[in-house]
């Protein structure tokens, strides 16, 4: 279970630190600001029974040290000791060391390799092991950096207020872009884990709608996803009356 409280990153990295990544090509990224951190620590029983590993993650804004205006997001995943083993000695904690392939990295790397134009591109990552001074000696530590996308995020955890603040003609532009982009994402084998406007960023100038994740594997990508009013409503881009027939040509999708 995730907790928004975490103390695992008290020692950094701090703003100003430069992180060197090695995949897919060497790159460097300077930390500008920490945005959040989350704790996914489990106990030994949960690890034994379900295979859950204990880790923490932190998200940052970063930039290319040679071009400060080239900004990106960075997330760090680090293995942490299971609950109630934090005070064990280094060798004992090191027996918990394992590997991890974050679903976020899998999705972002796959979509980037497939040339997706409707999702943020992965620009760098590194998979490494902690040294003996780490929280879990030999345990995983992973960095990934993905591009920021320009535009208006159409919603948040409270709803789709930014979308509904747009003029009606622009809301219709968003819907048309959505119906064009969603099948492409599905054909690439992925689908938004959260169906809502918070997963969408609209760039009006280029008429581009971005899906910003998180993503999960599409059920059957070989079967085309049908564009319909239902999906528009699922993503908070319409508020149909329950009694309204989506096939009724008189419904303007904007109720």
């Amino acid at each position: 279970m995730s907790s928004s409280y975490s103390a695992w990153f008290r020692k950094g990295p701090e703003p100003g630190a430069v992180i060197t990544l090695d995949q897919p090509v060497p790159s460097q990224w300077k930390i500008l600001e920490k945005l959040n951190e989350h704790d996914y620590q489990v106990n030994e029983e949960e690890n034994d029974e379900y295979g859950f590993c204990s880790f923490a993650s932190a998200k940052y804004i970063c930039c290319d040290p040679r071009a400060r205006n080239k900004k990106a997001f960075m997330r760090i995943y680090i293995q942490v000791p299971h609950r109630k083993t934090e005070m064990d000695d280094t060798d004992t904690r090191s027996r918990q060391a394992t590997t991890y392939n974050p679903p976020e990295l899998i999705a972002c790397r796959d979509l980037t390799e497939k040339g997706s134009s409707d999702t943020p591109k992965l620009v760098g990552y590194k998979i490494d092991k902690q040294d003996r001074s780490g929280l879990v000696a030999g345990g995983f530590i992973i960095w990934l950096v993905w591009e920021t996308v320009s535009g208006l995020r159409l919603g948040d955890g409270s709803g789709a207020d930014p979308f509904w603040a747009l003029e009606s003609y622009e809301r219709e532009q968003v819907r048309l872009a959505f119906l064009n982009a969603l099948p492409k994402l599905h054909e690439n084998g992925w689908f938004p884990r959260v169906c809502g406007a918070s997963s969408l960023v609209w760039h009006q100038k280029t008429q581009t709608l971005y899906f910003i994740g998180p993503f999960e594997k599409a059920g059957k990508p070989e079967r085309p996803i049908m564009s319909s009013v239902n999906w528009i409503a699922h993503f908070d881009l319409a508020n149909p009356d329950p009694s309204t027939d989506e096939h009724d040509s008189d419904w303007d999708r904007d109720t």
Side-chain angles (χ1 to χ4, degrees):
M1 180 179 293
S2 167
S3 168
S4 59
Y5 172 77
S6 171
W8 300 111
F9 291 89
R10 285 184 301 174
K11 294 184 178 180
E14 298 295 336
V18 175
I19 308 295
T20 300
L21 308 181
D22 59 5
Q23 298 292 331
V25 296
S27 63
Q28 289 190 321
W29 298 91
K30 183 178 181 179
I31 300 290
L32 298 178
E33 177 187 359
K34 183 165 71 174
L35 300 177
N36 59 52
E37 56 183 278
H38 294 277
D39 181 2
Y40 300 86
Q41 192 180 27
V42 300
N43 57 43
E44 291 182 290
E45 291 74 21
E46 290 172 305
N47 173 255
D48 292 339
E49 186 168 354
Y50 303 108
F52 296 156
C53 62
S54 292
F55 68 94
S57 70
K59 183 179 180 181
Y60 303 83
I61 285 282
C62 60
C63 71
D64 184 330
R66 297 165 299 179
R68 189 178 174 87
N69 62 339
K70 183 182 178 181
K71 293 184 179 179
F73 290 116
M74 174 186 290
R75 193 169 339 259
I76 302 175
Y77 293 86
I78 187 168
Q79 186 176 359
V80 303
H82 299 319
R83 290 196 191 103
K84 300 182 180 180
T85 69
E86 297 91 341
M87 300 305 294
D88 289 353
D89 61 58
T90 298
D91 289 336
T92 301
R93 294 198 313 274
S94 71
R95 298 189 194 115
Q96 300 177 20
T98 187
T99 58
Y100 181 58
N101 200 0
E104 181 178 40
L105 174 57
I106 296 171
C108 197
R109 181 172 55 199
D110 187 60
L111 285 165
T112 300
E113 290 174 350
K114 289 176 177 175
S116 171
S117 59
D118 305 307
T119 54
K121 290 179 174 58
L122 179 69
V123 294
Y125 67 97
K126 182 178 181 179
I127 299 173
D128 207 349
K129 294 181 179 180
Q130 300 175 49
D131 60 26
R132 285 190 61 80
S133 66
L135 298 167
V136 177
F140 63 81
I141 180 168
I142 301 163
W143 300 261
L144 63 147
V145 174
W146 66 98
E147 67 177 3
T148 60
V149 292
S150 300
L152 172 69
R153 191 168 184 176
L154 296 178
D156 55 27
S158 301
D161 289 348
F163 169 75
W164 290 104
L166 299 174
E167 296 290 340
S168 60
Y169 76 89
E170 191 170 355
R171 293 200 298 270
E172 188 60 22
Q173 290 176 341
V174 171
R175 295 183 185 111
L176 292 173
F178 172 84
L179 292 175
N180 180 59
L182 186 64
K184 293 180 182 178
L185 180 63
H186 190 262
E187 288 169 10
N188 278 328
W190 297 93
F191 205 78
R193 188 183 304 165
V194 178
C195 290
S198 62
S199 297
L200 306 172
V201 171
W202 169 242
H203 192 260
Q204 197 275 338
K205 186 175 181 180
T206 61
Q207 297 284 287
T208 302
L209 186 70
Y210 296 100
F211 293 91
I212 58 172
F215 301 104
E216 61 186 12
K217 275 288 187 181
K220 293 185 177 180
E222 68 277 7
R223 293 185 181 179
I225 186 170
M226 300 303 294
S227 297
S228 74
V229 173
N230 279 341
W231 284 116
I232 293 174
H234 279 317
F235 280 81
D236 305 325
L237 304 182
N239 292 315
D241 186 284
S243 64
T244 302
D245 182 350
E246 68 177 59
H247 300 293
D248 185 348
S249 60
D250 291 331
W251 180 42
D252 64 3
R253 307 180 186 180
D254 203 21
T255 57

